[in-house]
């Protein structure tokens, strides 16, 4: 942490800051310029941050130097990349994951139908929601345990690993029975009790970036999972809130190379929710693959017009094989292979 | 809901949309202009929304006409305003609530010291966190039940009603024993299971606006509490995420007159977190009162330099009486009285 | 325009709105639901908008139905796409433009060196700034006319058409002598006098999206050029301001499919400014091509370490041929050919 | 400038950075922590910034320490505040300016009528636009010179100094004849040629913050005016672009205390454009005054229903005296006097 003193800060003020830094077992290093002094606090970042020196007399502002996350940082694995592997299917490193399936589990026929199509087209995993976070309390909230059972059936038939959302810590046991990957939704990205419980299950976790979360926020959230001893976290960009109203969210693909520099964790993109309409989903999927994403998680439905939830953004099963081929081609240009 | 058809939409396409609207028991009303046709869907908004007509052939886009929230809407109470009353202390309508206290409950001395000062200066309620949502898993997470006990002690001594945060559905019973108002933090604004459980307690709820939540999102979140039969919800503006980096968040005071038009619920402002530094807190508090807020919830500490959390933004207890006087003066210009 | 009346609006209030609409030669069409009335104003959108009905008694809000731009709209060319052609080099439709060159013209050697390299690697046009908009008045503001002369020399030698920025209406004559494409920078996107003068030159215009401009704002700005009888406008996405601070701007690639639906104009992406660092530029260039952009405009320098301006984001000339190959491969997957 | 090296940066890489800093006449100061080295570059900030060290081998990132503006900085006047004075009317320091008038000059009757009312109610200056920046090229663009003449007439009759917008450098002479304060609109905040010309006139300048401009951007823009030897710049907050769609812009009142810390220049708030509707304008005006603004610039019309531009946000002249009284009361609580 660097503490930038105000122009005209007195020797006493500087000494007081140094003293407080030393009180918490860190050392202070002064750098005196023509106009002002900068104090480098060397040692445990968190202890210095906890001092709250921002309003101390003579202090202008603080500049953090080290990142606040540890286990998630690229340095932690010294350049090696995390590869999440489930039943031989890999995501991360040179492996591109194509995760596909319906937004919401609605019925046996829908679930199995979609699962077969995406499996035949070479998908890596099956996605599907049994518990749905809905903006309105009056909207369909998911089939719950009955939905989880349908996912199990689809897994039994196709062998596809299951990605499904956990919303409530009280559902952990039910979800863990079926899920291979626990999805934490964007709205729950900073639901720390949920993150901790997800971490404790030992299952892989797909963590969606919150609508207004910085990459640092996302990595700090992943730290809640990782600190439980669970190394299998995948980060998911799904669109951020901006001023633009031509689409629901602004898909932030620059996050891909940026996260690649900051962390060893795989980076997956959800190309469905930001556009909110299926005709823009392929362009965003290819762009994600071209930008170096480790996977996409895309919504597919056998009858989008009658989907209970988010039908307009679901790719119809009839288009999925072609879509998968195109994604595969672009991923290859970016140096990755889709693993089915 | 209005369905705006594309220029050149065919008669068949229009007929298909009309048919789908009628299928869900609503009626369709056509308005044909020179260039295009607009179809008004009259009836249950949610049913029409669930049709997902956005990508239906010939449809350009949809325009919702009615707001998605019901119990929170100004129309629901026909212009009457909700006044939350606890032990004779009121917030809402002509009553301005001055809620003050430490960010985090740290110790018996700190809690009682702050409670006495804010009580003497005429505060309406005491705030203080026993469970703290922290960006870092390595930061202090609050005293938990021990913190709740200290709040109880402060309440016993001063008579101040207690506002404290609930983060985990498994803590509901403990929190309810002490809290008069359950605070739902910004990061949990869309934690729907938490909102539902808070609603069921029957305690008043102070619901903080999420960092990137629109006013509609906030009102939909309040609907989760209200629908449990709990009418005592206070909304809290605490700053939104924008591109500006000169402060932690951008305090959105225009939300005050806008919410006043949309809802009957009281509107409280947290002037502490957006600036993140105490010298800007009075200006934002006065501005909130001037803009017509129904209250402020402000952080106060007896020894800010050694606070465990957010010390730089805490008002020192020594300044609080003057601060309260100024807020009171401006609230009066805006037509409100502080109730202690 | 749809005028949504408040619940409880009186018959007189509705009649008054209808009267005002008819006063400006439009007709009004009523749609009466269970709760409220919506009035469709049929006729000239601008005249109804100019009425400013938003605060008229009984009016809740207005919903524009038609887009405010005309010449830029996809409907204007009935689905045909604009192809900008200069000396046989095409951008738009199936043609992908690779525009490359230094940020700022610094010297004869730099300019010619970069021009030769990008020409050899098959670039479509040469970019380079003689007038530079700088945040600081103390920064280098460009070589001016001397810079324009160097661009002319590069064009004479390589045959590459020139893309260069116009900042001041008083420089139009000088710029027009050399430029094949006049660039309007993001900061000047709503400098309407500049847009009008650029339109009058008859030269093609590359219009950069402002940092906080919606797609509608961008298209309205293009309308200022188009209305001068100049059909050759290229739109350029270069990053928008958001809360994320891990990069300078958030590159908004979802704008590509969205603009393709809204307008017939070619869509170019600047992959250099948003990351602000060269190692992320290839990923964003490939993503732009994959998402269906009609071109990229990228910064290249022969000695980035000593560049006067934006060196960290410049690709070194030594990497350019490989870069161009990769972009070409992805553009081909997206169905486009690079034209040199 | 602090240069933060990567973990594991080599001694050679550090030496190279030091060398480059010394090449431009600055000195380097090393601070070596457990994990990494930070190099402080002491000397001319701009020269070090121009080195573009961001992508130099071994460099992680750069942290600017000094602000890039000089003349605008609070330090430049050592705590003294700029007071702009025109004909004895002052804005800044303890003086609150109430600037009022129509959005657009439409007619002699309108102009004089509004001027008289605001003058009678104690306004400090008269605002009114003769040149209007309009999003649409098809909208009314202002009366031009004829409008300027009407402003002159209003000034002659009432004695009110005139605030009016300059949009085109070619209009400088005409505008200067009438204007006491030249307004630079939000869209032109980074139109550097316009800023420079406005600076050269020697007239006071009211500089509106761009929709997505940070406070640093705003202060850098003011620097373009100040460096021409023109000290009379007033900054104007008028709302920024955020994700919220319940209003046109988000009025950022936290900018007031923040700017007060950063600069000596007066800070004025435009409470009309962000809400876009007159019933929310008083709340925002009072909030601005309460937060410590040095003035407001508000739109007033004698017949808002028939205004050519922005009628819905104009206060009717009939309400203005009461409005002015309320603003005056709150400004007094904040320690300022309205000067008429």
């Amino acid at each position: 942490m660097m503490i930038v003193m105000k122009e005209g800060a007195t020797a006493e003020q500087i000494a007081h800051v140094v003293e407080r830094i030393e009180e918490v077992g860190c050392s202070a290093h002064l750098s005196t310029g023509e106009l002002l002094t900068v104090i480098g606090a060397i040692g445990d970042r968190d202890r210095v941050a906890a001092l709250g020196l921002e309003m101390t007399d003579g202090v202008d502002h603080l500049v953090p130097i080290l990142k606040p996350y540890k286990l998630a940082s690229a340095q932690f694995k010294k350049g090696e990349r995390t590869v999440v592997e489930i039943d031989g299917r890999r995501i991360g490193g040179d492996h591109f994951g194509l995760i596909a399936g319906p937004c919401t589990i609605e019925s046996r026929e829908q679930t199995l139908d979609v699962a077969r199509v995406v499996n035949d087209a070479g998908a890596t995993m099956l996605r599907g929601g049994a518990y749905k976070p809905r903006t309105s309390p009056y909207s369909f909230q998911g089939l719950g345990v009955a939905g989880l059972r349908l996912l199990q059936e689809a897994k039994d038939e196709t062998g596809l690993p299951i990605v499904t959302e956990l919303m409530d810590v009280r559902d952990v046991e039910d979800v863990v029975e079926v899920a291979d990957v626990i999805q934490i939704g964007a709205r729950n990205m900073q639901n720390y009790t949920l993150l901790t419980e997800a971490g404790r299950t030992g299952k892989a976790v797909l963590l969606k970036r919150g609508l207004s979360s910085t990459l640092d926020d996302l990595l700090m959230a992943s730290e809640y999972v990782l600190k439980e001893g669970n190394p299998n976290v995948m980060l998911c960009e799904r669109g951020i809130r901006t001023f633009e109203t031509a689409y629901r969210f602004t898909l932030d693909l620059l996050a891909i190379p940026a996260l690649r520099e900051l962390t060893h964790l795989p980076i997956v993109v959800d190309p469905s929710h930001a556009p909110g309409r299926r005709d823009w989903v392929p362009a965003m999927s290819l762009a994600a693959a071209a930008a170096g994403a480790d996977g996409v998680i895309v919504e597919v439905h056998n009858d989008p017009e009658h989907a209970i939830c988010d039908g307009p953004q679901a790719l119809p099963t009839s288009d999925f094989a072609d879509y998968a081929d195109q994604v595969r081609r672009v991923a290859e240009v970016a140096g990755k292979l889709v693993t089915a």
Side-chain angles (χ1 to χ4, degrees), chain A:
Chain A
M1 186 78 77
M2 311 297 290
I3 295 96
V4 182
M5 302 299 292
K6 286 183 200 292
E7 289 185 38
T10 65
E12 287 73 30
Q13 289 170 336
I14 292 170
H16 177 66
V17 170
V18 169
E19 196 182 311
R20 298 221 56 212
I21 291 168
E22 293 175 349
E23 270 171 30
V24 293
C26 297
S27 64
H29 181 270
L30 267 65
S31 177
T32 306
E34 289 163 24
L35 293 171
L36 49 78
T37 293
V38 176
I39 304 173
I42 297 172
D44 187 310
R45 178 203 143 108
D46 292 335
R47 284 198 214 160
V48 179
L51 285 173
L53 292 169
E54 287 87 347
M55 292 302 291
T56 302
D57 288 344
V59 171
D60 193 78
H61 67 281
L62 269 59
V63 181
I65 298 297
L66 295 176
K67 289 293 184 182
Y69 41 88
K70 293 161 194 174
L71 308 173
S73 74
Q75 287 76 22
F76 183 73
K77 293 190 67 170
K78 300 183 197 309
E80 192 198 332
R81 302 206 63 76
T82 289
V83 177
V84 173
E85 178 169 349
I86 293 160
D87 293 345
R89 292 151 187 267
R90 296 183 193 151
I91 300 180
D94 301 335
H95 309 279
F96 188 94
L98 178 54
I99 307 172
C103 173
T104 304
I105 297 301
E106 298 171 12
S107 70
R108 188 164 181 277
E109 186 200 340
Q110 172 234 26
T111 307
L112 295 182
D113 198 358
V114 174
R116 285 166 198 147
V117 169
V118 303
N119 191 42
D120 290 350
T124 312
M125 299 186 189
L126 178 69
R127 61 152 291 155
Y131 300 96
K132 299 300 302 175
R134 301 303 297 272
T135 308
S136 167
Y138 311 114
S139 298
F140 177 65
Q141 313 271 324
L143 288 181
V145 173
L148 292 173
R149 279 197 207 113
L150 293 174
L151 284 166
Q152 181 66 52
E153 205 173 328
K155 182 179 175 176
D156 291 343
E157 182 181 325
T158 60
L160 288 169
I162 299 297
V163 182
T164 197
E165 180 158 354
L166 174 68
M167 280 182 60
D168 187 332
V169 288
R170 297 169 297 190
D171 298 325
V172 164
E173 283 179 42
D174 289 332
V175 168
V176 158
E177 252 180 74
V178 175
D180 297 286
V181 179
I182 295 176
Q183 178 178 315
I184 303 290
R187 293 181 183 86
N188 277 319
M189 193 200 85
Q190 294 187 310
N191 181 338
Y192 299 125
T193 58
L194 193 65
L195 293 171
T196 298
E197 294 301 331
R200 287 179 184 162
T201 63
K203 295 279 180 180
V205 172
L206 181 104
L207 177 60
K208 289 197 160 184
R209 180 183 183 189
L211 292 189
S212 63
S213 299
T214 62
L215 300 188
D216 276 3
D217 289 342
L218 174 60
L219 290 166
M220 286 309 289
S222 77
E223 198 85 5
Y224 269 91
V225 180
L226 295 167
K227 80 164 196 313
E228 299 301 326
N230 186 341
N232 288 316
V233 178
M234 295 183 273
L235 306 172
C236 181
E237 160 63 27
R238 49 82 81 199
I240 58 173
R241 273 257 166 94
T242 71
F243 60 82
E244 180 58 70
T245 55
Y247 5 90
R248 288 160 77 193
F249 309 110
T250 298
L251 196 66
D252 178 12
L253 296 178
L254 194 41
I256 300 170
L259 283 171
R260 187 164 305 279
E261 168 130 345
L262 297 171
T263 184
H264 53 84
L265 298 171
I267 305 145
V268 170
V269 171
D270 167 351
S272 304
H273 282 82
R277 41 186 289 177
R278 79 179 62 97
D279 53 348
W280 298 350
V281 170
M284 289 301 97
S285 305
L286 300 187
D294 296 304
V296 292
I297 176 165
V298 65
E299 299 195 348
V300 180
H301 200 284
N302 59 336
D303 182 10
E305 191 170 8
H306 296 96
I308 290 180
C309 174
D310 281 343
Q313 78 197 30
L315 297 177
T317 40
S318 55
D319 290 1
F320 188 72
D322 281 352
Y323 166 85
D325 276 343
Q326 277 190 287
V327 171
R328 218 173 267 122
R329 281 178 69 191
V330 174
E332 279 166 28
V333 177
K336 288 182 194 285
L337 277 178
V338 175
T339 60

